[in-house]
Amino acid sequence: QVQLVESGGGLVQAGGSLRLSCAASARTFSRYGMAWFRQAPGQARDFVAAISWTGGNTYYADSVKGRFTISRDNAQKMVYLQMNSLKPEDTAVYYCAADSLGMGSGVIGNYDYWGQGTQVTVSS
């Protein structure tokens, strides 16, 4: 079992930055691929960014490339999402997810465990 707890969300003006954190409970955290997804009201849950179990491979949605950076610290069992140049369309609940295959990807069905989410609101 893996428990994931997100933090770091909040209200920010357009052009600002936030860093989201995800704390994991898994004993074998370093074996999991990790990702961030987001869900706006009335919308489907969409892929944002993913990172492989080693941290050697990262993947991003086109809408966030060049603005967001995913990283992980396996010793601390943490995953981060640094979000810069935020836009109102980035407003959503952001979810951390874990993939037991370790690859990290944009495929939502590959993720076995989910956090409860943290709200990010970007004002114009």
Side-chain angles (χ1 to χ4, degrees), residues 3-4 8 16 20 22-24 26 34 39 46 50 54-55 59 69 86 96-98 101 103 107 113 122-123:
Q3 291 186 326
L4 302 171
L20 305 184
C22 174
M34 300 297 297
Q39 189 167 18
D46 290 331
T54 64
Y59 311 91
T69 302
L86 282 160
C96 178
L101 294 177
M103 302 302 294
V107 179
Y113 303 99
V122 184
S123 63

Side-chain angles (χ1 to χ4, degrees), residues 12-14 20 31 34 42 48 115 124:
V12 64
Q13 288 189 329
L20 305 184
R31 298 181 185 177
M34 300 297 297
V48 176
S124 57

